[in-house]
Amino acid sequence: MPDAYTPDLPSLLPVFDVLPDPYLLLSPELVIEAVNEAYLLVSLSKREDLLGRHILDVFPENPATLEAHAAVNLQASFNQVLATRQPHTMARQRYDIPAPDQPDHFLERYWLPRNVPVLDAEGQVRHILHGVFDETEKVRTEKTLQISQTQEKLLHNAVALQRQQLYDTFQEAPAMICVLEGPQHVYQFVNPPYQALVGDRLLVGRPMAEAVPELAGHAILDLLDNVYRTGKTFRASEMMVQLDQEGSQLQNQEKHYFNLIYKARHTAAGDINGIFVFAYEVTAQVLARQQVQDLNQELAAINDELRASNAEFLLANTELSKTQQQLQLLNQQLEARVAERTHEMQQALHEAEQQRELLRLQQAMLHQILEQVPAAVATLSGPEHRYVFFNEQYQRLVTGRARRGLAVAEALPEVAAQGFINLLDGVFTTGEAFIGTEVPLLLQNSTTGLPEQRYVDFSYQPLFNDGTQTPGILAFIIDVTDKVVAHQQMTTMQAELLAAAQRRLLERENLYQIFEQTPAAVLLLRQPGHVIEYFNPAYGRLFPGRQLRGLTIAEAQPEAVEQGFLALLDRVFQTGETYVGNELPFSVVQPDGQVLPPRYFNFTYQAYREQGQVAGVSVFAFDATEQVLARQQREAQQAELQRIFEQAPVAIAIMRGPNLVLELANQEIIRLWGRTLPQVLGRPFFEALPDTAGQGLEQVLADVVASGTPHSITDMPVTLARAHTGQPTLGYFNFIFQPLYDGDNRPTGLIALGNEVTAQVLARQASEMSAQQLKQLTEALQATNDQLTRTNTDLDTFVYTASHDLKAPIANIEGLLLALREQLPAEALAAAQVTQVLDLMQDSVARFQQTLGYLSDVAMLQLAQTEPTEPLDLAAHIEAVRLDLVPMLLASGGQLLMQVADCPTVYFSPKNLRSILYNLLSNGLKYAHPDRPPVVQVRSICLPGRVQLEVQDNGLGLTQEQQSKLFVMFQRLHTHVEGSGVGLYMVKRIVENAGGSIGVQSQPGTGTRFTITLPLPAR
């Protein structure tokens, strides 16, 4: 570039230089002759690098965006202007500019170019006025807005899809779900299990009190009112509700038990507008537990809500935050640009004051330039602001109402009320310029007669004469209505988008919290491989410590493959058919390979779809382990009772209902009746034994069931058709009829216990002639009655009696085995098979004797609720037990340590204290860790009103699962050493019978500590 460049026009064009928009003045050869400050600012260039150079040399096309054809389009516009001598406005162009500090790098820019010819006196093009409007921020805003709209649409579709999936899940869930609206609790949604509770009655659209009138007076309505009023979530376990499923009569209401959650629903503003109800029926579990004494614990309450939200919400929030940050950055850039342009305009106006003389010399040229500049320009003269000059752009802005010599207030009367005349007066009076940015302007359209709202960037620049007077004002106005309206629309749209996204996020959060709080295990799987996309806390607790999310079921839960659950998932994914499982067992395999006891689940596998195709499977499962175990235990107990009844030495029968249907009968009573079991079971008593009718039993049995009062009969004559005779036979019987009650303490049947005394009665009758015989018969009868009374009393301790009575036969068998060994010839005893069989028989007898001993001990323990207590020297008793354990201590290399000096005396039964100490200390030695010798410590602590004993060992330790089974009778947790599973059960019963307590703390591989509290005698 030459050192000094002199274009073919006056050297200074101050007004051109201070124009607020970017302009170049080009020669017909497209050489840059002048450049204003605004152009230098937006092009990031220097004046000396531009002047005298071809425009396409200064601004080459970005090689990376040749498809935009920027240089070709610009050259074509210049050619059109030169050929037609008419202005040409180009469409938006992407024309990147060189990065000033990075050679060969370009900055992305979008422009709205306009090329205007400047003609000489002969009408030839002397210059080209090249103006550009930077559209980069607008394009970026449009892109950002488009991305936001796309994201909003995707978010909307995702929310709609998830809402449908949740709806389908609620419909198929094996739980009762409903949504209530308003303070009257109007049903808005109910799923099929909930509808099934009340039969065919219409629920949706009706208040709960009206749709289910049997709930009137029930605490449910008050609880719902409290949740609606306070917003606090309510949880209940095993709540009893009476419902009329048939819809007939209130007296037919059935009792149901539910675990339920009432959770308030909120509007976007946070106001409560309804309640979400989640419940599942536990009637079977409650009734089962009522029938089994050892199953009294309540179902586990719902765990605390998870604090973490899922990744999708975090991603949505992050994207929304990024959008907001981009908007803030855009606003900051716009404000900075306005401030820079304002400062530049002020500087330019100051320079214009200094150069006003030169301006006068170049007036003709400038008039011609200003006529063609793409901005509204006007010069005003005098205090009345009369038009001296205005260009075509200005005339279009005011719809042709400007006239030379006419005052602005006369031509545009509407602007006076808007303050523009006052602004002109201020500039004229003070001589200080005024600059306005995006100022609203209401102009009357002379064509339509209607006002039009416009927005303008403008400056009022005072024009000075030779002195300091202000003869006039230069008005420079740019119509920015499109930009302002677009920005307003964008701001409104961004606000609406933000509000919509927040509403949808709130809706998703509410649905998410429902899943997070439900006691059911919920799992969402995706793709044919069943990748775990989501699981709630209830599901995570089934597999503690495992990595689940993002893994397939086969990877995260390999035991599901072996147990057939993966095949079920494959079938549901492939067919789209829902699978419902009922009480299926599932065993969790721990990392060390240990298989935990099976748990039982009621569950559904349901396919969910996206765009009509199966995309994954949702899992909704309830833990039914307690229900299954309760039923299994009940069945086992029923079988045990049946066995006991079968062996009982008295006749026993159980009858149920008003018709006295025979539910159970043992062999003794079958023998008395002369019938078989199939002939009597399941039939009413007087239908199974019609020959007993009319003999007085009808009223007796009816009174027992009606009044709930026991009744006994003695020597009652009854005629029965005995099977062994085929003829009616008179017999005499002693019986007790004891009422049976249901859970509400209402008599529902009876149990009959007794025996036949025909022989005794006949003997008494035969000996009436002899006083001595009568006395003997009376004594025999009394003895028999006493025996019957004792037998009836001993029914409660039958287990003990059975175990005790079996000891003699086992002893006889043992004696017979001994005799057999003595009687067998030597050659027979020398046979290995004979010896092996005899040894097996002897071992079986020994184990049976041991089991009878345990049963006897347990039975006696259950009968003996209290034992006399006395002050005992704790150290002496521990030492006595230690002496018994010396062989075990020597064999294991173990130690037994005592710290009982602080509390040396306990008040307890000596026998029971020895049993407690022996069981705990011997267990500490038996279950030693293989890597270290056992160390067992005994400590005593005196506490207010009680003594605390602690027995600590360093053995194998116990898991939480093992600890829960530790005190169960016949429960053995380790099989590598001898044991019966009775010791700790007896310890617990001894302690609790004495009014104390026992607890355990243990860590696998570390050891176990038992803590026993024993009461002190009252002073």
Side-chain angles (χ1 to χ4, degrees):
M1 187 180 70
D3 295 338
Y5 169 72
T6 303
D8 187 16
L9 76 166
S11 60
L12 295 175
L13 296 175
V15 175
F16 173 80
D17 196 45
V18 299
L19 291 177
D21 286 308
Y23 287 102
L24 288 178
L25 194 63
L26 306 175
S27 70
E29 293 77 20
L30 306 181
V31 174
I32 300 173
E33 298 179 318
V35 56
N36 70 349
E37 290 294 332
Y39 194 94
L40 295 175
L41 182 65
V42 299
S43 63
L44 304 178
S45 54
K46 299 178 181 179
R47 192 185 305 273
E48 59 270 20
D49 294 335
L50 302 183
L51 294 179
R53 299 183 62 187
H54 194 283
I55 185 172
L56 297 182
D57 293 339
V58 177
F59 298 107
E61 191 167 9
N62 184 359
T65 60
L66 296 178
E67 69 279 359
H69 305 296
V72 173
N73 294 339
L74 184 60
Q75 182 66 60
S77 177
F78 289 143
N79 293 341
Q80 181 176 335
V81 171
L82 292 170
T84 63
R85 297 192 290 275
Q86 296 294 325
H88 179 250
T89 301
M90 300 178 65
R92 179 187 293 165
Q93 302 288 319
R94 175 172 180 175
Y95 204 131
D96 298 346
I97 62 174
D101 300 328
Q102 295 179 289
D104 300 326
H105 285 74
F106 288 80
L107 303 177
E108 181 181 355
R109 289 292 186 270
Y110 292 86
W111 312 94
L112 196 63
R114 178 175 172 81
N115 298 311
V116 180
V118 179
L119 307 179
D120 58 14
E122 289 77 23
Q124 299 300 314
V125 177
R126 184 175 180 183
H127 307 284
I128 296 177
L129 187 63
H130 173 62
V132 292
F133 297 92
D134 191 350
E135 295 272 289
T136 304
E137 293 302 329
K138 184 176 180 181
V139 171
R140 290 173 179 171
T141 301
E142 290 173 353
K143 289 182 177 180
T144 301
L145 182 58
Q146 184 179 8
I147 293 173
S148 299
Q149 289 172 337
T150 302
Q151 293 173 343
E152 191 272 340
K153 183 177 181 181
L154 293 175
L155 180 61
H156 178 273
N157 293 339
V159 169
L161 176 60
Q162 290 195 357
R163 182 179 297 139
Q164 183 62 40
Q165 291 176 354
L166 290 177
Y167 176 82
D168 293 341
T169 301
F170 286 167
Q171 285 290 99
E172 298 294 334
M176 285 136 281
I177 301 173
C178 74
V179 177
L180 305 176
E181 186 174 35
Q184 299 302 317
H185 314 307
V186 177
Y187 284 105
Q188 188 180 25
F189 166 81
V190 293
N191 73 340
Y194 191 98
Q195 181 68 55
L197 286 177
V198 295
D200 297 330
R201 281 183 282 177
L202 177 64
L203 296 181
V204 176
R206 300 177 65 193
M208 178 179 285
E210 173 187 328
V212 192
E214 57 264 36
L215 293 181
H218 196 282
I220 282 180
L221 297 178
D222 295 334
L223 293 172
L224 288 171
D225 291 339
N226 185 62
V227 172
Y228 189 89
R229 182 176 64 257
T230 65
K232 294 181 179 179
T233 300
F234 173 77
R235 300 177 178 84
S237 296
E238 299 181 0
M239 176 176 282
M240 191 274 287
V241 181
Q242 287 185 290
L243 295 173
D244 182 10
Q245 288 186 299
E246 301 298 330
S248 54
Q249 299 177 354
L250 292 178
Q251 56 265 35
N252 292 334
Q253 294 176 5
E254 296 181 0
K255 288 185 178 180
H256 297 263
Y257 295 85
F258 300 94
N259 288 355
L260 52 84
I261 299 173
Y262 295 158
K263 180 175 179 62
R265 299 170 60 238
H266 297 80
T267 64
D271 299 326
I272 297 174
N273 67 345
I275 297 174
F276 176 84
V277 178
F278 179 94
Y280 59 95
E281 186 167 4
V282 294
T283 304
Q285 295 94 313
V286 172
L287 295 179
R289 189 174 60 254
Q290 290 175 349
Q291 296 176 18
V292 181
Q293 290 183 350
D294 294 333
L295 295 179
N296 293 329
Q297 299 178 352
E298 298 180 356
L299 293 174
I302 301 171
N303 290 327
D304 295 335
E305 300 178 0
L306 264 171
R307 276 76 61 188
S309 177
N310 69 25
E312 294 182 40
F313 294 116
L314 294 176
L315 180 59
N317 289 335
T318 301
E319 293 176 351
L320 187 59
S321 175
K322 289 181 179 178
T323 302
Q324 292 174 336
Q325 292 174 358
Q326 291 174 352
L327 290 175
Q328 292 175 355
L329 179 61
L330 175 61
N331 290 334
Q332 293 173 358
Q333 291 174 345
L334 290 174
E335 291 174 0
R337 180 180 176 190
V338 169
E340 292 174 359
R341 290 176 60 184
T342 301
H343 178 69
E344 293 167 359
M345 183 174 286
Q346 290 174 345
Q347 290 182 340
L349 291 175
H350 180 69
E351 293 177 2
E353 292 178 5
Q354 298 176 349
Q355 300 297 331
R356 61 181 179 275
E357 187 64 29
L358 293 175
L359 179 63
R360 191 176 302 112
L361 297 175
Q362 300 174 10
Q363 184 173 3
M365 177 67 71
L366 291 178
H367 270 219
Q368 185 179 15
I369 293 173
L370 293 177
E371 276 289 347
Q372 302 176 48
V373 73
V377 181
T379 56
L380 309 174
S381 176
E384 296 178 348
H385 317 303
R386 298 186 178 279
Y387 287 110
V388 176
F389 167 80
F390 48 83
N391 67 355
E392 185 62 27
Q393 290 282 353
Y394 188 94
Q395 191 70 306
R396 282 199 297 269
L397 179 65
V398 300
T399 62
R401 291 185 288 161
R403 299 287 186 273
R404 296 185 187 277
L406 192 63
V408 173
E410 296 172 346
L412 309 174
E414 66 271 23
V415 302
Q418 300 175 56
F420 289 95
I421 302 301
N422 293 336
L423 292 176
L424 289 170
D425 291 342
V427 174
F428 189 86
T429 303
T430 64
E432 296 179 358
F434 179 84
I435 297 174
T437 303
E438 295 184 0
V439 177
L441 172 62
L442 192 65
L443 289 175
Q444 197 77 14
N445 190 313
S446 60
T447 303
T448 64
L450 299 175
E452 292 182 350
Q453 181 67 58
R454 316 295 293 177
Y455 294 87
V456 294
D457 290 348
F458 70 94
S459 65
Y460 289 162
Q461 175 67 42
L463 300 175
F464 297 97
N465 57 15
D466 294 340
T468 59
Q469 298 299 318
T470 305
I473 295 173
L474 171 66
F476 193 94
I477 305 169
I478 299 174
D479 188 347
V480 294
T481 302
D482 292 342
K483 183 177 76 172
V484 172
V485 170
H487 184 267
Q488 291 175 345
Q489 291 174 345
M490 180 188 68
T491 302
T492 302
M493 189 174 299
Q494 297 266 349
E496 292 174 351
L497 175 63
L498 179 62
Q502 290 174 341
R503 286 195 302 271
R504 289 181 174 87
L505 287 175
L506 180 60
E507 292 174 0
R508 292 186 65 187
E509 177 65 19
N510 289 338
L511 293 175
Y512 172 77
Q513 290 301 328
I514 290 171
F515 270 4
E516 289 292 292
Q517 299 175 38
T518 178
V522 180
L523 177 69
L524 293 182
L525 306 173
R526 182 174 287 275
Q527 300 175 358
H530 314 301
V531 177
I532 299 175
E533 186 176 67
Y534 166 79
F535 61 91
N536 71 344
Y539 192 90
R541 287 191 293 272
L542 298 177
F543 305 95
R546 290 199 194 183
Q547 174 66 32
L548 298 177
R549 195 184 310 278
L551 301 179
T552 65
I553 284 291
E555 295 168 341
Q557 302 164 23
E559 59 267 61
V561 180
E562 301 173 359
Q563 300 176 43
F565 291 93
L566 183 61
L568 294 176
L569 289 170
D570 290 339
R571 189 177 73 183
V572 172
F573 189 91
Q574 293 164 5
T575 65
E577 297 177 356
T578 299
Y579 178 83
V580 179
N582 185 41
E583 296 183 356
L584 292 186
F586 178 73
S587 297
V588 175
V589 180
Q590 293 187 327
D592 59 1
Q594 180 183 3
V595 181
L596 298 182
R599 302 193 68 81
Y600 298 85
F601 294 90
N602 295 333
F603 63 92
T604 59
Y605 287 167
Q606 180 183 355
Y608 62 88
R609 292 171 167 80
E610 294 177 359
Q611 299 179 355
Q613 299 295 322
V614 174
V617 178
S618 64
V619 179
F620 204 101
F622 287 99
D623 191 340
T625 303
E626 291 191 15
Q627 174 184 342
V628 173
L629 295 181
R631 185 180 68 251
Q632 291 175 348
Q633 185 171 0
R634 184 171 68 253
E635 293 171 351
Q637 288 186 339
Q638 289 175 345
E640 180 66 15
L641 285 174
Q642 179 69 36
R643 188 184 66 81
I644 294 173
F645 284 169
E646 288 293 332
Q647 300 177 17
V650 296
I652 304 174
I654 295 178
M655 310 174 199
R656 296 279 188 184
N659 294 327
L660 300 176
V661 176
L662 285 161
E663 186 176 283
L664 184 65
N666 71 347
Q667 290 298 323
E668 181 63 19
I669 203 165
I670 289 298
R671 185 187 65 78
L672 296 183
W673 287 342
R675 305 290 198 277
T676 63
L677 277 176
Q679 289 176 327
V680 297
L681 290 186
R683 301 177 63 188
F685 177 78
F686 292 105
E687 178 184 320
L689 301 169
D691 42 359
T692 61
Q695 302 186 57
L697 286 174
E698 294 93 329
Q699 190 62 43
V700 171
L701 301 182
D703 289 344
V704 171
V705 176
S707 66
T709 303
H711 183 82
S712 62
I713 60 174
T714 304
D715 298 346
M716 182 176 182
V718 179
T719 300
L720 289 170
R722 307 287 184 122
H724 60 280
T725 65
Q727 300 295 327
T729 303
L730 178 63
Y732 294 88
F733 300 90
N734 290 346
F735 264 87
I736 296 175
F737 301 112
Q738 181 72 31
L740 298 175
Y741 300 92
D742 62 10
D744 295 327
N745 206 30
R746 295 180 300 186
T748 60
L750 60 86
I751 180 171
L753 303 99
N755 57 5
E756 183 176 3
V757 293
T758 303
Q760 294 90 325
V761 172
L762 294 177
R764 185 176 66 246
Q765 292 174 349
S767 61
E768 288 179 353
M769 300 304 293
S770 171
Q772 183 63 32
Q773 291 177 345
L774 178 60
K775 180 180 179 181
Q776 294 176 351
L777 183 60
T778 302
E779 291 175 353
L781 180 60
Q782 182 63 43
T784 302
N785 288 336
D786 290 343
Q787 178 63 34
L788 177 60
T789 302
R790 287 194 298 272
T791 301
N792 291 337
T793 302
D794 289 345
L795 285 176
D796 293 333
T797 59
F798 188 72
V799 173
Y800 171 72
T801 303
S803 64
H804 182 271
D805 290 346
L806 287 173
K807 289 182 178 179
I810 292 301
N812 291 337
I813 293 174
E814 186 177 23
L816 291 173
L817 281 174
L818 181 60
L820 180 62
R821 285 182 182 270
E822 294 175 351
Q823 294 298 322
L824 285 174
E827 59 273 13
L829 290 174
Q833 186 174 5
V834 173
T835 303
Q836 182 181 8
V837 171
L838 290 175
D839 290 341
L840 290 176
M841 293 175 65
Q842 186 64 46
D843 291 343
S844 298
V845 169
R847 285 196 300 273
F848 198 73
Q849 287 176 327
Q850 185 183 41
T851 301
L852 289 178
Y854 291 144
L855 288 174
S856 179
D857 292 343
V858 171
M860 289 299 295
L861 181 63
Q862 292 173 340
L863 292 174
Q865 293 296 318
T866 60
E867 287 280 344
T869 63
E870 58 184 82
L872 302 176
D873 185 337
L874 187 57
H877 279 73
I878 295 174
E879 178 61 22
V881 172
R882 189 191 70 79
L883 292 175
D884 292 341
L885 297 176
V886 164
M888 294 180 65
L889 289 169
L890 294 175
S892 63
Q895 300 181 62
L896 177 59
L897 307 178
M898 284 191 295
Q899 296 179 12
V900 298
D902 293 340
C903 194
T905 304
V906 297
Y907 292 82
F908 210 65
S909 162
K911 178 184 70 174
N912 288 345
L913 179 60
R914 172 180 170 76
S915 179
I916 292 172
L917 292 173
Y918 187 85
N919 274 285
L920 295 181
L921 297 180
S922 62
N923 282 351
L925 297 174
K926 284 196 297 184
Y927 300 109
H929 196 282
D931 297 335
R932 54 181 176 266
V935 177
V936 183
Q937 304 178 58
V938 184
R939 291 185 289 273
S940 64
I941 304 171
C942 285
L943 300 175
R946 66 189 190 276
V947 175
Q948 179 172 301
L949 300 181
E950 294 182 356
V951 178
Q952 173 87 43
D953 65 56
N954 64 340
L956 295 174
L958 301 166
T959 65
Q960 288 294 330
E961 180 73 17
Q962 290 174 322
Q963 292 177 44
S964 67
K965 302 175 181 179
L966 188 60
F967 299 107
V968 178
M969 185 166 61
F970 298 123
Q971 179 67 58
R972 298 195 59 212
L973 304 179
H974 299 286
T975 59
H976 65 284
V977 296
E978 291 292 332
S980 63
V982 175
L984 289 179
Y985 171 80
M986 294 180 62
V987 169
K988 187 173 189 292
R989 292 301 301 268
I990 290 172
V991 172
E992 292 180 347
N993 287 346
S997 65
I998 182 170
V1000 63
Q1001 294 176 312
S1002 183
Q1003 289 291 332
T1006 300
T1008 303
R1009 181 174 64 190
F1010 289 91
T1011 302
I1012 302 170
T1013 59
L1014 300 175
L1016 293 174
R1019 295 184 179 180

